[in-house]
Amino acid sequence: MTRILTVSDDTTASGGLGRRTLLKGAATVAASALLASRADARDFGANAEPQRYPDPDIVAIDPKRFKAKVGNTAIKRLYTGCLWAEGPAWNAQGQYLVWSDIPANRQLRYLNDDGHISEQFHKPSNEANGNSFDTEGRQLTAERTRLVRYEHDGSVTTLAEQAGGKPLNGPNDMVVHPNDKAIWFTDPGYGAISIYEGKLANTGSLQPHQKEAVYRLDTQTGQVAKVADEPFKPNGIAFSHDYKKLYVCDTGITHYPQAENVVWSYDIDGAKLSNPKKLIDMKLDGKSGFPDGLRVDTEGNIWVGAGWVGPGYDGVQVFAPNDGARIGQILLPETCANVCFGGKKRNRLFMTASQSLYAVYVETQGAHFC
């Protein structure tokens, strides 16, 4: 995901919000956040005082439905120094986490055994964004122009770089279905409309090569099929805990003023999707931030990385699957791009948030292997 890209002082390429309007709004939010942070700043540094239990930044909005809060654990910052941290993915066999620093053109790795950080796990990374692992433990990565797989022998295989006879805009995130090994992925194209996170396609459109969409890659045939294009810019993607539904974050408001900050829900029917609906509305107390990346726990709850609002909002927001109601929050001092469950018990939530990597233990488990 990327910040709003403007092409003039007064309008965007799509005729949306202008640069002056955006900067004025950003300044207002920043001023409010600064006042709040001065009054109640939390030190996540290496020499910070221990956090008193229970951690006040793990919030149970609906205690009857949000039962994942652990009373004697705290949010930890494991690393800072990224430009824009994204795409966390957990490798169970190796017991490590990989994530991307898009503008720095690198991927990092966190080792679970001793907390070591490999700062150049993959560099250059072709400005990689989202990551996952398939059922054989091979890393999948959404690079700026293509979807790739890292093989066991160290080679890299290009899985998809076109759809419908046209280049992909720029893949973002993906999930693997364990039954047929198919890869479902999103293609919002942020890497083709920003020089900070990629390279300008210079096509004169916010849709660099084609309409933004969600795709399914049949790994047996190599066929890439469009399965949905309702979201303005489909971003994070996740299966429901029982693989009956697919959830897709929409961050289209970055470039389309008519878009909404919502998470879409689809019914999965084999290789197709049906019944699109806006399950989650990100509005909270009159403010709305981006739903960027997401994961699902074993109870079906949906954990969404969110931000661009400020203190009291930015971090992870947890929603119930049946009605999309907000039931919990994990508040962070930075905008959270994406999340994943990991650790030996798959009960540790890792959060890539702007410049940093955070983690916290929860009383639930990730529903999926990655």
Side-chain angles (χ1 to χ4, degrees):
M1 201 281 291
T2 187
R3 292 189 181 89
I4 297 173
L5 174 68
T6 59
V7 296
S8 72
D9 282 346
D10 300 315
T11 60
T12 64
S14 62
L17 300 175
R19 182 171 179 267
R20 294 191 184 98
T21 302
L22 291 168
L23 291 176
K24 185 182 293 183
T28 301
V29 171
S32 300
L34 179 60
L35 290 174
S37 63
R38 284 174 178 170
D40 189 25
R42 174 168 174 176
D43 185 0
F44 280 95
N47 298 317
E49 291 293 323
Q51 176 63 45
R52 184 178 294 277
Y53 293 151
D55 192 320
D57 290 327
I58 307 172
V59 183
I61 296 174
D62 184 344
K64 291 184 178 180
R65 291 201 279 182
F66 182 68
K67 301 177 181 179
K69 179 173 180 174
V70 177
N72 59 338
T73 196
I75 304 165
K76 298 292 185 181
R77 186 169 69 187
L78 304 179
Y79 179 83
T80 192
C82 294
L83 294 175
W84 180 244
E86 254 282 14
W90 179 255
N91 183 287
Q93 187 276 332
Q95 286 292 294
Y96 66 83
L97 180 90
V98 63
W99 81 98
S100 301
D101 184 359
I102 304 173
N105 198 22
R106 63 173 177 160
Q107 293 189 317
L108 302 88
R109 179 177 60 173
Y110 167 83
L111 300 182
N112 193 56
D113 54 358
D114 62 1
H116 173 75
I117 303 288
S118 304
E119 294 186 306
Q120 297 188 27
F121 180 53
H122 290 134
K123 183 177 176 68
S125 65
N126 195 21
E127 287 141 328
N129 193 322
N131 301 283
S132 187
F133 289 91
D134 65 13
T135 55
E136 295 182 35
R138 296 172 295 186
Q139 182 181 329
L140 305 173
T141 295
E143 295 185 346
R144 174 171 53 83
T145 58
R146 59 183 186 163
L147 184 69
V148 303
R149 181 177 65 214
Y150 288 84
E151 307 295 350
H152 293 308
D153 64 3
S155 61
V156 178
T157 300
T158 298
L159 298 176
E161 53 187 348
Q162 290 190 344
K166 298 179 181 180
L168 294 170
N169 296 312
N172 189 282
D173 207 353
M174 81 294 293
V175 287
V176 179
H177 200 293
N179 292 345
D180 59 10
K181 321 304 181 189
I183 302 171
W184 302 66
F185 68 97
T186 58
D187 184 42
Y190 284 113
I193 51 180
S194 166
I195 59 174
Y196 182 60
E197 293 188 13
K199 181 179 180 181
L200 294 177
N202 291 322
T203 60
S205 172
L206 294 179
Q207 301 170 357
H209 302 293
Q210 55 184 308
K211 172 73 175 70
E212 303 93 334
V214 182
Y215 296 95
R216 179 184 179 274
L217 168 65
D218 186 323
T219 53
Q220 302 301 315
T221 66
Q223 181 180 1
V224 176
K226 181 190 291 188
V227 290
D229 64 3
E230 288 82 8
F232 282 86
K233 281 195 175 295
N235 203 308
I237 185 171
F239 292 117
S240 62
H241 67 299
D242 54 9
Y243 290 95
K244 293 182 178 180
K245 296 183 181 295
L246 185 75
Y247 302 125
V248 179
C249 295
D250 192 345
T251 54
I253 202 169
T254 58
H255 290 81
Y256 300 103
Q258 68 271 36
E260 300 175 278
N261 290 322
V262 296
V263 176
W264 292 81
S265 171
Y266 296 87
D267 292 335
I268 298 176
D269 183 12
K272 298 181 179 180
L273 298 178
S274 63
N275 191 28
K277 66 177 181 179
K278 300 173 184 178
L279 175 65
I280 294 170
D281 187 327
M282 296 301 293
K283 291 188 182 71
L284 175 65
D285 297 331
K287 299 178 181 179
S288 182
F290 301 162
D292 201 332
L294 74 169
R295 291 291 196 279
V296 175
D297 66 25
T298 51
E299 287 72 45
N301 297 316
I302 305 163
W303 300 64
V304 181
W308 303 104
V309 172
Y313 187 100
D314 294 357
V316 178
Q317 303 190 21
V318 188
F319 300 88
N322 54 341
D323 56 5
R326 183 182 282 100
I327 61 175
Q329 283 182 280
I330 297 175
L331 302 176
L332 299 176
E334 305 176 72
T335 286
C336 183
N338 213 331
V339 301
C340 83
F341 291 93
K344 293 182 178 180
K345 297 181 180 180
R346 220 170 58 254
N347 67 330
R348 196 179 190 192
L349 185 74
F350 291 93
M351 301 161 278
T352 49
S354 300
Q355 301 166 55
S356 308
L357 172 69
Y358 296 86
V360 66
Y361 288 98
V362 291
E363 193 57 33
T364 188
Q365 295 174 298
H368 311 304
F369 60 89
C370 179

